[in-house]
Amino acid sequence: MSAVSVPPPKRLQKPLVVPHRHMFGPGPSNVPPRILEAGANPVIGHMHPEIFEIMNDIKSGIQYLFQTQNNMTLAVSGTGHTAMECAIFNTVEPGDSVLTAVNGIWGERAAEMAERIGARVNSIVTPPGGYFTNAEIEQALLKYRPALFFLAHGESSTGVLHPLDGIGQLCHKYNCLFLVDSVASLGGAPLYMDKQGIDILYTGSQKVLNAPPGTAPISFSERACQKIFNRKSKPVSFFLDLSWLANYWGCDGKASRTYHHTGPVTAFYSLRESLAVLVEEGLENSWDRHQKVAEYFHRGLESMGLKLFVKDIKARLPTVTTIVAPRGYNWKDITSYIMKTHNLEISGGLGPSVGLVLRVGLMGRNSSKHSADMVLAALKDALQHCHKSKV
């Protein structure tokens, strides 16, 4: 009698089939052949000297992307959520006061993460599509005296690009660390970590960088490191403990690196190549291209009679556009029709914007007039063929 009681699954006896699709949702974005090919290089050991050189390349690329001189700069093995937890878990101890700015889902997520580890969390809240003035932020800093203030630069659930100038200085005035989520904005909109006084900044690999999901660049200022490395208790996560990650990434000044976890070496190859692509184009050129394509796309939407969700033109995120859900239509019908008919992904809202918006992401290589025209044509077709109720 066979010792194997579970038979081989028939579904795994068929070849893998993955369709090509136009990824014009809020992420992930399409991965260019050059970056895919980089990820197909041979696997070598995660502690081999060649991998350490690739990691050093990545660190330099992140410093350029973030516009920072921070030595404590690395890529977490995981998605943007992993970087968010790395930032919060390392800086926040039980009983610490944390302030989150909520104008979409990411402020809500940050608040929940901090609550789970015993922080005293307070939030300032504005309706989806809005943002906070510096005066409102200072009032909250004065009231709650937080150790950490979280803000999403690019709020992908609502399409808001939040102003950053002056906020870092306000945080430092009240002895508070400034944590910024730039997953949806970095590389597509101007951001200067050092000049803007940001203490912790993170992003993801799968948006403007056009790498596969699975690595998350992050950087910590000296002020942040002073708090982190003078904790009274160890961080709740061993995997995300910065003292271990700093050594693995060669950020702690020690002569040798110690095994912490098996780094995703092929993901490192892809991330390194995506940063090289950005370096070749130049940050300012990338910012300018994303802004011009966004404006072109917005004009096309308005010419079709569609309305943009974010009213303030200067606060519109150039990488992820939110469109007011067309009246009389079920947004799911629109996104499903476009996927089926045009092999093209756009999405509905997320968190507080569910049912309110359609979201279109034009990021990295997808930020082009050609891509914008594809989406406009698909939307026009969908509005003509999807059922519209009488309103």
Side-chain angles (χ1 to χ4, degrees):
M1 188 172 101
S2 172
V4 176
S5 60
V6 179
K10 292 183 178 179
R11 63 189 308 124
L12 290 180
Q13 298 174 39
K14 301 175 183 178
L16 173 68
V17 178
V18 179
H20 178 272
R21 190 160 285 151
H22 301 291
M23 301 297 290
F24 297 152
S29 54
N30 290 109
V31 180
R34 173 177 167 181
I35 296 173
L36 285 173
E37 290 166 8
N41 274 293
V43 172
I44 59 175
H46 59 286
M47 299 294 288
H48 289 186
E50 295 87 352
I51 285 295
F52 293 157
E53 283 302 307
I54 291 170
M55 292 165 75
N56 290 340
D57 292 346
I58 291 170
K59 177 177 177 177
S60 296
I62 296 171
Q63 287 172 324
Y64 171 68
L65 178 64
F66 285 14
Q67 286 297 286
T68 183
Q69 300 288 337
N70 291 338
N71 178 57
M72 194 62 66
T73 299
L74 51 98
V76 181
S77 301
T79 62
H81 275 83
T82 317
M84 183 187 284
E85 289 199 332
C86 182
I88 294 171
F89 289 178
N90 280 284
T91 54
V92 177
E93 296 192 71
D96 278 354
S97 174
V98 171
L99 177 66
T100 65
V102 178
N103 64 333
I105 194 171
W106 304 118
E108 294 175 353
R109 291 278 171 94
E112 181 170 344
M113 289 177 186
E115 286 173 353
R116 287 183 178 217
I117 60 173
R120 294 180 292 111
V121 180
N122 291 285
S123 298
I124 50 175
V125 182
T126 192
Y131 61 92
F132 302 93
T133 66
N134 284 16
E136 290 170 331
I137 291 170
E138 182 169 19
Q139 184 179 16
L141 291 171
L142 181 61
K143 179 179 180 180
Y144 298 115
R145 297 287 179 168
L148 182 74
F149 173 54
F150 171 91
L151 179 73
H153 181 225
E155 178 45 84
S156 59
S157 69
T158 60
V160 171
L161 181 72
H162 202 291
L164 293 177
D165 287 344
I167 300 175
Q169 289 72 22
L170 287 175
C171 287
H172 299 165
K173 176 181 176 181
Y174 293 97
N175 196 30
C176 171
L177 296 176
F178 186 26
L179 166 59
V180 174
D181 176 317
S182 66
V183 172
S185 60
L186 207 68
L191 188 152
Y192 309 88
M193 183 174 188
D194 290 353
K195 290 181 181 177
Q196 292 175 316
I198 299 168
D199 291 297
I200 310 161
L201 178 67
Y202 66 86
T203 192
S205 57
Q206 75 277 16
K207 306 255 183 179
V208 172
L209 286 176
N210 291 153
T215 53
I218 191 168
S219 183
F220 299 82
S221 70
E222 281 298 321
R223 292 179 77 255
C225 289
Q226 287 174 12
K227 185 177 191 314
I228 291 167
F229 296 123
N230 288 284
R231 294 174 58 100
K232 297 175 183 177
S233 58
K234 291 182 179 181
V236 295
S237 171
F238 175 83
F239 182 63
L240 299 175
D241 188 329
L242 190 60
S243 62
W244 284 90
L245 294 176
N247 177 260
Y248 182 45
W249 280 86
C251 299
D252 63 356
K254 294 182 179 179
S256 62
R257 306 192 195 193
T258 304
Y259 169 73
H260 171 243
H261 72 284
T262 303
V265 294
T266 57
F268 289 166
Y269 304 158
S270 298
L271 179 59
R272 191 255 183 221
E273 199 67 15
S274 71
L275 289 164
V277 170
L278 182 68
V279 165
E280 289 171 13
E281 180 178 14
L283 256 182
E284 292 175 312
N285 290 332
S286 180
W287 296 339
D288 184 60
R289 174 170 56 85
H290 281 82
Q291 184 61 40
K292 287 179 178 177
V293 169
E295 291 173 357
Y296 173 83
F297 182 52
H298 295 169
R299 288 194 297 271
L301 292 168
E302 290 174 332
S303 71
M304 291 170 56
L306 294 171
K307 296 180 181 180
L308 294 165
F309 186 67
V310 180
K311 305 304 180 187
D312 187 339
I313 294 175
K314 293 181 180 179
R316 290 173 181 166
L317 182 59
T319 52
V320 179
T321 295
T322 43
I323 307 161
V324 175
R327 192 177 180 192
Y329 292 91
N330 184 325
W331 67 267
K332 292 181 182 179
D333 291 344
I334 294 174
T335 58
S336 297
Y337 178 87
I338 289 174
M339 177 72 81
K340 182 179 179 180
T341 309
H342 296 269
N343 195 32
L344 187 156
E345 182 194 51
I346 66 170
S347 77
L350 179 68
S353 67
V354 169
L356 300 179
V357 301
L358 298 171
R359 295 185 297 155
V360 177
L362 299 175
M363 297 176 280
R365 67 167 287 183
N366 289 346
S367 178
S368 68
K369 289 184 177 180
H370 175 69
S371 297
D373 286 338
M374 289 178 65
V375 178
L376 292 169
L379 280 168
K380 183 177 181 180
D381 183 34
L383 295 177
Q384 290 174 344
H385 288 89
C386 290
H387 173 73
K388 183 180 181 181
S389 61
K390 294 181 179 180
V391 290

